[in-house]
């Protein structure tokens, strides 16, 4: 979809031009379609050389890139998705002086690239470019490298004026309800922890998610409370980790509110919101993609509600699920994620939030990942304002179904401490 509507973009640029404000170009990478291999993306904004174009009528390659953006590698059957943006360090007004270089890489080296004039690249519209590798090369599948005839790649992205997404964001973190893994861990039942993967909610977890739904329903009926939690009652987007316990928690806890008349009735699966894969973390392992995630969750919901009626099943049927980010492999292979992998994923997660056109964002996810994000991206001012609370946010876990409202300031950038405020909602707090 277009990140920003044409009407909104035109009106906004006109008002900002009158105010003398200049916006920065953001590159929002969507996906790359490719033969089975591991692909990462590098983008550079490069000053154009005098003369304009080479003999083949392509933009002439200049030297001295003003920015170099990187998106981490994905391993998929036929497509890799990112859906995250980064600043090009070029203003919208100056983009005519720059070319955009997009390169695809695998672990063995470059796969191909394309060079575009930024001035000819439309703003706020999806763009798809075909990248033709120049020769046969070795293709890396994630486990082995084999000789293969090079095939064409299709790269999709959008170029966005930063002024249209630079407003402050309200982001609400909701931790999933108690899972079977959590329950077994509390009882030191190693067998129950290890006999399954991607664990569903426990009976207690279902009750916790139902309690969250009642809290939201009661808050919606009270004008004073409704104003405080309006960001959850009427969110612009609800991102959900594709792990079963998070999807169940979102459907049971938030679904009844979202499907009310006038509600968004939609959830978007966000692969970057999944839990950190720690050594022995069977609850973070999955092999389900796309609609298979929904089929699995629906089966678990039916098992829970077999004797309780069809209300939640009806809610599930009314919700629309955006599966774009989980159509291909979205999990991490190996026994555990490395520190570098987690940091890269957290950074991408934060750029997805910071440079979103949405104002009110809900993320249903996991305690370890949320804690790492909070520790890595709280502003120094917030840490100094309430050092004890900030220290606990960076070290303690949210309670099951805990609800934490954050304020994000995109003007600070991803490296400037964009989380400027945090507050628990609905009487929730830390895990005891």
């Amino acid at each position: 979809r277009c990140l920003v509507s044409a009407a909104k973009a035109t009106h906004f640029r006109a008002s900002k031009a009158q105010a003398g404000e200049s916006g920065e170009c953001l590159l929002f990478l969507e996906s790359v379609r490719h033969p089975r291999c591991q692909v990462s993306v590098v983008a550079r904004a490069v000053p154009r050389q005098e003369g304009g174009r080479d003999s083949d009528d392509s933009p002439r390659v200049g030297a001295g890139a003003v920015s170099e953006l990187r998106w981490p590698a994905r391993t998929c059957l036929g497509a890799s998705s990112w859906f995250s943006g980064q600043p090009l360090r070029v203003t919208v007004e100056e983009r005519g002086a720059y070319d955009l270089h997009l390169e695809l890489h695998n672990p063995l080296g470059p796969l191909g690239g394309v060079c575009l004039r930024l001035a000819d690249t439309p703003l706020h519209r999806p763009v798809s470019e075909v990248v033709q590798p120049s020769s046969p090369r070795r293709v890396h599948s994630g486990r082995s490298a084999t000789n293969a005839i090079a095939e064409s790649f299709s790269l999709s992205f959008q170029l966005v004026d930063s002024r249209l997404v630079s407003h402050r964001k309200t982001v609400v973190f909701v931790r999933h309800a108690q899972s079977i893994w959590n329950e077994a861990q509390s009882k030191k039942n190693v067998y129950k922890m290890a006999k399954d993967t991607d664990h569903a909610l426990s009976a207690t977890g279902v009750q916790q998610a139902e309690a969250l739904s009642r809290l939201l329903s009661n808050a919606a009926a009270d004008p004073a409370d409704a104003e405080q939690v309006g960001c959850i009652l009427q969110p612009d987007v609800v991102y959900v980790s594709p792990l079963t316990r998070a999807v169940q928690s979102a459907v049971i806890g938030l679904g009844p509110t979202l499907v009310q008349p006038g509600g968004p009735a939609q959830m978007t699966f966000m692969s970057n919101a999944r839990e950190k894969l720690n050594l022995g973390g069977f609850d973070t392992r999955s092999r389900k993609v796309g609609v298979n995630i929904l089929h699995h969750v629906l089966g678990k919901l039916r098992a829970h509600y077999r004797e309780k009626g069809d209300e939640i099943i009806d809610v599930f049927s009314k919700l629309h699920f955006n599966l774009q980010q989980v159509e291909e492999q979205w999990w991490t292979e190996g026994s555990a994620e490395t520190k570098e992998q987690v940091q890269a994923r957290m950074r991408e997660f934060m750029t997805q939030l910071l440079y979103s056109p949405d104002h009110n964002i809900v993320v249903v996810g996991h305690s370890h990942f949320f804690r790492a994000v909070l520790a890595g991206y709280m502003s120094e001012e917030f840490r100094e304002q309430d050092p004890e609370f900030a220290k606990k946010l960076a070290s303690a876990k949210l309670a099951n179904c805990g609800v934490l409202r954050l304020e994000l300031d995109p003007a600070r950038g991803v490296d400037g401490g964009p989380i400027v405020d945090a507050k628990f909602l609905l009487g929730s707090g830390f895990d005891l």
Side-chain angles (χ1 to χ4, degrees):
R1 67 184 177 102
C2 293
L3 290 174
V4 181
S5 70
K8 179 180 178 181
T10 301
H11 173 77
F12 191 91
R13 284 200 304 272
S15 63
K16 292 299 182 181
Q18 291 176 355
E21 296 183 25
S22 178
E24 186 175 6
C25 291
L26 296 177
L27 182 63
F28 187 88
L29 179 64
E30 295 182 347
S31 63
V32 174
R33 295 197 172 275
H34 55 79
R36 181 184 176 90
C37 64
Q38 190 177 89
V39 173
S40 60
V41 180
V42 177
R44 298 181 180 89
V46 179
R48 290 178 54 76
Q49 288 187 344
E50 294 295 328
R53 289 185 175 266
D54 291 327
S55 58
D56 62 355
D57 202 39
S58 62
R60 179 171 293 176
V61 176
V66 297
S67 62
E68 180 173 289
L69 318 180
R70 293 181 178 272
W71 282 265
R74 297 279 194 270
T75 301
C76 300
L77 293 176
S80 299
S81 299
W82 289 267
F83 296 99
S84 64
Q86 298 185 51
L88 273 173
R89 309 301 179 196
V90 172
T91 67
V92 172
E93 289 73 14
E94 296 173 345
R95 70 185 190 279
Y98 293 88
D99 290 332
L100 175 62
H101 294 211
L102 298 166
E103 299 173 3
L104 307 182
H105 294 255
N106 74 3
L108 300 178
L111 292 170
V114 63
C115 181
L116 309 169
R117 287 191 61 183
L118 269 178
D120 295 337
T121 305
L123 290 170
H124 315 124
R125 294 215 311 268
V127 177
S128 183
E129 289 289 334
V130 174
V131 180
Q132 287 283 359
S134 57
S135 62
R137 61 186 70 244
R138 288 171 64 78
V139 173
H140 192 276
S141 67
R143 294 187 178 181
S144 61
T146 58
N147 288 319
I149 300 299
E151 300 180 39
S152 64
F153 295 75
S154 176
L155 184 149
S156 300
F157 66 93
Q158 293 188 48
L159 198 63
V160 178
D161 185 334
S162 65
R163 292 170 294 185
L164 289 153
V165 297
S166 61
H167 48 267
R168 283 201 175 197
K169 313 288 195 301
T170 297
V171 178
V172 179
F173 284 174
V174 181
R175 186 191 173 193
H176 64 81
Q178 185 195 66
S179 68
I180 293 172
W181 167 280
N182 296 146
E183 182 182 56
Q185 190 178 43
S186 68
K187 298 177 180 179
K188 297 181 171 57
N189 187 336
V190 178
Y191 171 74
K192 198 170 183 179
M193 292 169 63
K195 80 169 190 174
D196 203 358
T197 59
D198 188 16
H199 297 67
L201 294 184
S202 65
T204 298
V206 171
Q207 294 171 0
Q208 290 172 340
E210 291 172 342
L212 174 59
S213 178
R214 289 193 295 272
L215 285 172
L216 288 174
S217 179
N218 293 338
D222 186 323
D225 290 340
E227 182 177 358
Q228 185 183 41
V229 298
C231 47
I232 312 176
L233 299 175
Q234 286 290 332
D236 296 313
V237 62
V238 177
Y239 290 122
V240 183
S241 158
L243 290 166
T244 300
R245 59 192 181 277
V247 183
Q248 285 182 284
S249 300
V251 171
I252 300 170
L254 305 183
T257 297
L258 299 179
V259 300
Q260 292 298 311
Q266 179 166 316
M267 297 179 180
T268 297
F269 285 174
M270 185 191 222
S271 61
N272 281 329
R274 68 189 185 273
E275 182 59 296
K276 293 169 59 179
L277 177 58
N278 296 316
L279 189 64
F282 293 98
D283 61 332
T284 308
R285 298 185 180 281
S286 179
R287 284 292 183 270
K288 295 175 286 293
V289 298
V291 295
N292 289 331
I293 299 172
L294 297 179
H295 292 158
H296 178 73
V297 169
L298 181 57
K300 295 297 183 181
L301 291 173
R302 282 176 171 156
H304 279 301
Y305 287 95
R306 186 175 292 115
E307 300 177 358
K308 297 182 180 180
D310 296 330
E311 181 182 352
I312 290 299
I313 306 304
D314 185 54
V315 166
F316 183 90
S317 68
K318 292 178 180 177
L319 287 166
H320 301 281
F321 296 92
N322 185 329
L323 305 175
Q324 279 185 296
Q325 297 186 42
V326 294
E327 292 286 8
E328 301 283 353
Q329 179 182 324
W330 48 267
W331 55 85
T332 304
E333 295 286 3
S335 58
E337 280 185 281
T338 65
K339 180 180 179 180
E340 291 74 23
Q341 286 175 316
V342 173
Q343 289 177 337
R345 180 155 65 89
M346 286 197 306
R347 183 181 182 86
E348 191 175 6
F349 172 80
M350 187 54 64
T351 64
Q352 286 179 287
L353 301 181
L354 278 181
Y355 302 126
S356 166
D358 301 306
H359 289 74
N360 294 320
I361 301 169
V362 175
V363 184
V364 182
H366 307 270
S367 60
H368 291 289
F369 184 71
F370 284 159
R371 181 174 61 190
V373 169
L374 292 165
Y377 294 100
M378 281 188 289
S379 70
E380 287 302 320
E381 292 84 351
F382 177 67
R383 295 176 195 268
E384 293 170 1
Q385 176 185 333
D386 196 340
E388 288 303 315
F389 184 46
K391 183 178 179 180
K392 200 162 186 181
L393 285 172
S395 59
K397 298 194 300 184
L398 303 187
N400 289 120
C401 283
V403 181
L404 182 69
R405 184 179 68 192
L406 309 175
E407 295 298 322
L408 269 59
D409 185 1
R412 290 175 166 269
V414 72
D415 297 315
I419 299 176
V420 296
D421 194 25
K423 180 181 181 181
F424 279 111
L425 299 178
L426 300 172
S428 60
F430 296 106
D431 193 22
L432 300 177

